[in-house]
Amino acid sequence: MGLTIYQSITPADRPVEQATDGAICGSGHNYQIRKWLGVRRSSWLLFFYVLGYSAYLIGGSFLFCSIEMDNEQHLKSDISRRKEEFVLRYPEVDPEDLENLISDITYHGISPLEKSKNNSNWSFGQSFLFTVTIVTTIGYGHINPVTPAGKLTCIVYAILGIPFTLMFLSALVQRLLSPTYSFLSSLLEKLSNFGHLEVRLVHLATMGTIFILLAFLAPSVVFWALEPGWSFLDSVYFVFISLTTIGLGDYIPGDSDETLFYRDLYKTSVGIYLLFGLVMLSLTLTVYYDIPQLNLGLHLHRHRDIYTGERNGGRNHKDSELNTNTNCTMYRIVNYSTNTNCTMYRIVN
């Protein structure tokens, strides 16, 4: 493993005499760069990560192919058989006309059932859920604009709405971080006999439990009770697909006949729930990523190659040692609560 010596650069707003040559933020610690075979360690780790991620995607492709392809072929055969039986029963129907009719119906996304003739895809509730899925990038695809004006409006609305939503979610999460970390502080005081990492894991487990109960299991039970034909697994599946913003659109609440009289209210409530669930998910992930020992992505960052030359041949800077009273933001990547007075140092070759 090769080591290359680097030198910190004093921030422009600090006197030169405060800096120590070869030191990080004037700490007096000389530092070096970890290298494997002449290449930065983080570059090797990123390379292996990309290989592993590619293998994960390819493996997932084969996995779902093996699970779903046989069932797909069975459904296609059944549909083809039923169309043939229909044409034989009604020989006056041209098979080509039947194909065109089916194609037109599936393309426009309009239900051909007589009972759905008076139900609009663009009622307030449907439209509200549609706009929420746009700005949150969930995108169920259960309804879509078909007019040129609607498509253009959708593009402009998403361009403005997606960053607006990100700002909205970020602002709410930042507000919720105050009581969240107050709770962490109380845990640190009450569990003073435990290590800092152990207490943070307890805090994370508590936050995760709250998220699972309020934003995951409870809504799943509600959908299971309100949606006829949905099993509990279907409800859990819908909640998971929605909160992870995958949004496959194979399950949409509020489209059954039983929900006709309160459909708009129901779909509006689903949209509000999605926003609440995303806030809870973002808050929980923020708590998770704020624990450096669990944030494996930090090992892919170039700053993790920095190696200080002290004690037993040197040591890495410990992210867990940094707190809100630190004087340098060089490693403050995850936790945004800082009272810092030093900017990131530029490393020169």
Side-chain angles (χ1 to χ4, degrees):
M1 179 180 68
L3 294 174
T4 304
I5 297 178
Y6 288 77
Q7 185 177 21
S8 295
I9 301 245
T10 306
D13 59 344
R14 300 184 71 182
V16 176
E17 61 271 17
Q18 291 186 17
T20 303
D21 290 341
I24 300 178
C25 285
S27 62
H29 300 310
N30 292 325
Y31 67 95
Q32 299 168 320
I33 300 297
R34 287 185 182 273
K35 290 187 176 183
W36 294 345
L37 301 177
V39 180
R40 293 184 71 134
R41 184 188 64 167
S42 62
S43 298
W44 280 110
L45 294 177
L46 179 61
F47 172 74
F48 291 129
Y49 179 83
V50 171
L51 285 182
Y53 184 66
S54 301
Y56 184 77
L57 294 178
I58 295 173
S61 302
F62 284 111
L63 176 63
F64 287 108
C65 178
S66 63
I67 294 175
E68 295 292 336
M69 180 172 289
D70 291 341
N71 183 64
E72 179 193 30
Q73 294 301 324
H74 174 73
L75 292 175
K76 286 184 176 181
S77 299
D78 184 61
I79 292 173
S80 179
R81 177 185 56 80
R82 295 180 65 179
K83 288 194 299 183
E84 292 175 358
E85 292 176 352
F86 181 85
V87 172
L88 290 175
R89 188 178 302 138
Y90 303 98
E92 66 275 10
V93 176
D94 187 352
E96 185 176 351
D97 292 340
L98 178 61
E99 289 292 320
N100 292 333
L101 176 62
I102 296 175
S103 176
D104 290 341
I105 292 174
T106 55
Y107 173 76
H108 293 295
I110 303 296
S111 175
L113 300 178
E114 187 67 22
K115 62 182 180 180
S116 301
K117 185 172 62 175
N118 296 324
N119 298 332
S120 174
N121 278 348
W122 298 103
S123 62
F124 176 80
Q126 288 273 35
S127 299
F128 182 80
L129 181 59
F130 172 74
T131 56
V132 170
T133 60
I134 288 178
V135 297
T136 58
T137 70
I138 294 175
Y140 289 135
H142 60 303
I143 57 174
N144 58 277
V146 295
T147 63
K151 293 176 181 178
L152 180 60
T153 302
C154 183
I155 293 174
V156 176
Y157 191 86
I159 291 175
L160 298 176
I162 291 175
F164 191 26
T165 302
L166 293 176
M167 186 182 304
F168 168 75
L169 295 177
S170 177
L172 289 182
V173 169
Q174 289 299 318
R175 291 284 182 174
L176 293 173
L177 280 177
S178 177
T180 299
Y181 285 117
S182 296
F183 175 57
L184 174 59
S185 298
S186 64
L187 286 179
L188 289 171
E189 293 178 0
K190 296 178 180 178
L191 303 177
S192 57
N193 294 331
F194 293 87
H196 184 74
L197 175 60
E198 287 76 10
V199 176
R200 300 203 69 176
L201 290 177
V202 172
H203 178 248
L204 175 62
T206 304
M207 295 298 301
T209 301
I210 294 174
F211 164 72
I212 291 175
L213 290 177
L214 294 183
F216 202 88
L217 289 181
S220 298
V221 172
V222 172
F223 289 127
W224 183 32
L226 293 180
E227 292 296 328
W230 284 26
S231 65
F232 183 69
L233 176 60
D234 294 334
S235 300
V236 171
Y237 170 79
F238 166 76
V239 170
F240 176 82
I241 292 298
S242 299
L243 294 186
T244 54
T245 69
I246 297 173
L248 295 178
D250 46 351
Y251 287 89
I252 303 296
D255 285 345
S256 62
D257 295 336
E258 287 78 358
T259 62
L260 178 62
F261 296 105
Y262 54 90
R263 179 168 294 164
D264 282 349
L265 176 61
Y266 185 19
K267 286 186 174 286
T268 301
S269 301
V270 172
I272 296 174
Y273 155 69
L274 293 177
L275 293 174
F276 165 77
L278 289 176
V279 170
M280 293 295 296
L281 177 62
S282 300
L283 177 63
T284 305
L285 290 178
T286 300
V287 174
Y288 172 83
Y289 284 118
D290 196 41
I291 304 177
Q293 293 87 342
L294 300 182
N295 191 353
L296 300 181
L298 288 175
H299 294 282
L300 304 178
H301 294 174
R302 290 170 61 87
H303 77 269
R304 291 303 294 263
D305 297 329
I306 295 176
Y307 182 83
T308 59
E310 63 174 51
R311 286 206 304 263
N312 299 324
R315 65 176 178 87
N316 285 320
H317 269 267
K318 297 180 180 178
D319 297 279
S320 58
E321 291 178 352
L322 294 173
N323 52 43
T324 55
N325 294 320
T326 183
N327 291 322
C328 179
T329 61
M330 175 168 256
Y331 293 85
R332 208 55 186 161
I333 304 298
V334 183
N335 193 339
Y336 302 104
S337 55
T338 57
N339 293 321
T340 59
N341 51 23
C342 175
T343 57
M344 173 90 74
Y345 273 68
R346 181 169 64 90
I347 300 176
V348 294
N349 196 336

